Amino acid sequence: MTWRMPAETAPHERTWMAFPRAGLTLGDDAASAEEAYAAWTAVAHAVAEYEPVTMVVDPSERERARRTLGSHVDQVEAPLDEFWMRDFGPTFVVDDERPGVLGAVDWTFNGWGDPEWAEWRKSAEIARFVAERTGAELVSSLLVNEGGGIHVDGEGTVLLTETVQLDPRRNRYADKERVEAELARTIGATHAIWLPRGLTRDYDDFGTNGHVDIVASIPSPGTLLLHTQRDPEHPDYEVSRDLRALLAETTDAAGRSWEIVDLPAPATLRDEEGFVDWSYVNHLVVNDGVVACGFGEERADAEATEILEAAYPGRRVTMVDSRPIFARGGGIHCITQQQPAVETVR
């Protein structure tokens, strides 16, 4: 069998999410907790305007989830300790030789390198749980990886980062050749583009060590959306400049040079913790739309909306204030996972 991860623009059956629960990510006071519940709920309701949403809910949050999410979002129960569905959930794949067959890659998940603060062992079981709920064939992998650490065009190209898949806290004995062989087996990637690093904030204690889904995405074959920091006062100014130069020298699996579309960062440079990694690249493509991160900056949000609408012709862009999500380590793409519609993945 030949598994292939479809482009995120392919039709979806639904989107999967995980509901917040008590723990470090939620926050240690009532106001912080309510902020997290509200942010995850707002994203779920925005996605549900376009396609079905299924929310995995820890038993401890059963009543709150029912009250908050309402009838717009399907809910299933399973033990959770984290709620970044992109990273611990399955990566869905299809088999072009067996139409109608859905696969679910169960990466090995160790909480982004098993830092001292991470609670991840319950969520590491969710990929198998979701695979069973969807009737997908399980594709087991020993590669420590997260869904936010890869991005594909559905035609063989994969973007990834040296500081993620080659992180010794994740894959102590990995090299590029071994990682690429596993990605070819599991998601059908035949052409890997390795970024040397991710955004600056992502290397803090609570970061992922360089996830690509906050840096670059592929809205259509041969086109890249690239996070661009325009202010020289931010360390990501040099990061995004250097990444653009590197990507300009690469091609996709079909041998096409990239059309690189700059997606500028908001004007805000810092929050209470330091330099922010606010990024419009971290959006979710849904059926007939895009659910994008907003940051409360009228001019920057409007510019990003215009760029995204041009990159995804015919799709409506819905923005959700994602500052509470980024304050916890990620964005809208990080808390969602698309399930392709297997009959129409092309």
Side-chain angles (χ1 to χ4, degrees):
M1 66 188 69
T2 304
W3 295 113
R4 177 178 64 85
M5 181 181 175
E8 296 186 16
T9 51
H12 298 176
E13 177 71 25
R14 67 180 57 248
T15 287
W16 286 82
M17 296 181 65
F19 196 69
R21 59 146 296 163
L24 186 64
T25 301
L26 186 68
D28 56 7
D29 60 78
S32 180
E34 286 303 321
E35 180 185 64
Y37 291 126
W40 263 251
T41 298
V43 171
H45 286 168
V47 175
E49 293 293 320
Y50 297 93
E51 62 190 57
V53 177
T54 298
M55 185 78 72
V56 179
V57 179
D58 185 84
S60 67
E61 297 288 353
R62 179 189 303 123
E63 296 306 318
R64 186 193 307 272
R66 288 176 181 171
R67 182 175 67 251
T68 305
L69 297 171
S71 60
H72 303 291
V73 177
D74 297 330
Q75 297 163 50
V76 294
E77 284 189 24
L80 290 171
D81 35 32
E82 270 294 356
F83 27 100
W84 304 93
M85 179 59 82
R86 176 72 52 176
D87 289 349
F88 58 72
T91 294
F92 288 105
V93 290
V94 298
D95 186 348
D96 294 324
E97 297 176 356
R98 296 184 295 160
V101 174
L102 181 69
V105 182
D106 177 20
W107 309 110
T108 298
F109 179 69
N110 73 348
W112 309 279
D114 195 21
E116 290 185 7
W117 57 264
E119 297 178 341
W120 51 267
R121 286 168 178 79
K122 293 178 181 177
S123 293
E125 303 297 323
I126 294 299
R128 289 175 178 267
F129 170 80
V130 173
E132 183 176 349
R133 299 284 305 198
T134 60
E137 292 188 14
L138 193 69
V139 184
S140 295
S141 177
L142 292 177
L143 182 70
V144 179
N145 187 38
E146 302 93 35
I150 55 175
H151 194 87
V152 304
D153 64 358
E155 298 184 357
T157 310
V158 62
L159 305 176
L160 63 169
T161 316
E162 293 177 7
T163 56
V164 174
Q165 286 80 13
L166 302 184
D167 181 356
R169 301 172 305 165
R170 288 174 166 98
N171 300 295
R172 181 175 300 178
Y173 304 108
D175 55 29
K176 289 183 178 179
E177 184 176 359
R178 289 173 177 172
V179 172
E180 290 175 17
E182 182 64 353
L183 293 177
R185 182 186 75 85
T186 52
I187 63 171
T190 58
H191 181 70
I193 298 177
W194 289 89
L195 304 185
R197 59 160 299 144
L199 301 185
T200 301
R201 178 73 167 260
D202 211 7
Y203 293 90
D204 287 356
D205 288 343
F206 299 109
T208 70
N209 221 44
H211 270 190
V212 73
D213 71 347
I214 205 169
V215 178
S217 62
I218 308 173
S220 59
T223 302
L224 279 174
L225 285 171
L226 181 65
H227 175 78
T228 304
Q229 175 55 250
R230 295 183 290 194
D231 193 324
E233 295 300 313
H234 195 299
D236 286 338
Y237 175 81
E238 292 187 3
V239 173
S240 61
R241 180 197 62 191
D242 293 347
L243 289 176
R244 197 183 203 285
L246 179 149
L247 288 165
E249 298 298 320
T250 66
T251 63
D252 66 8
R256 291 172 290 223
S257 297
W258 296 105
E259 175 189 353
I260 300 176
V261 178
D262 294 321
L263 193 48
T268 300
L269 299 184
R270 288 178 169 272
D271 63 10
E272 295 178 355
E273 302 297 326
F275 287 106
V276 299
D277 56 357
W278 294 359
S279 171
Y280 295 108
V281 168
N282 198 269
H283 56 271
L284 175 70
V285 182
V286 290
N287 293 335
D288 299 321
V290 177
V291 179
C293 299
F295 298 99
E297 296 186 17
E298 184 175 353
R299 179 178 296 180
D301 287 357
E303 182 182 12
T305 297
E306 184 177 346
I307 292 171
L308 290 170
E309 287 179 343
Y312 298 101
R315 296 180 192 260
R316 178 166 57 94
V317 174
T318 298
M319 275 200 169
V320 179
D321 188 346
S322 297
R323 287 171 290 182
I325 307 175
F326 271 81
R328 289 163 173 79
I332 288 175
H333 192 259
C334 305
I335 67 173
T336 56
Q337 179 61 270
Q338 72 279 352
Q339 177 186 336
V342 292
E343 297 294 345
T344 54
V345 292
R346 287 293 187 184

